[in-house]
Amino acid sequence: MVRQPLTAEQIAAGQRLGTALRAARGRRSLVEVALAAGISPETLRKIEAGRLSAPAFGTVVGLSQALDVPLDDLADVWLAALPVHQAS
C-alpha cells in the first residue's frame, strides 16, 4: 500500500498539533515527556517542530496521557481548519 502525500491542510494541522503539544509541555523537559509518552525524544522534537505532520495514533494517545490533555482537545486542534467530509 502506497501512502498518499499529505495535503497542505494536513501539514498545517500537524503544525498546529505540534504547537499545541509544545505549549502543553510547558516547562517539562522534552525528554521527560517523550519517555512518559513511550516515544523517543527525537520523535517529540519532530512533532513539536511540525516536521512530523501525521504522527501515529498511538503516539498522540501517549502524548495526551503524558501531558494530561484530553484526546478530544488534540483532535479539535487537528481538525480546526480541515474541510468537513461527509460519510457516503
Side-chain angles (χ1 to χ4, degrees), residues 42-74:
E42 184 59 23
T43 296
L44 180 54
R45 187 174 292 111
K46 287 178 183 177
I47 293 168
E48 287 185 355
R51 292 190 340 242
L52 182 55
S53 296
F57 181 71
T59 298
V60 177
V61 169
L63 288 167
S64 170
Q65 292 176 336
L67 294 168
D68 197 27
V69 175
L71 196 53
D72 283 347
D73 290 357
L74 296 179

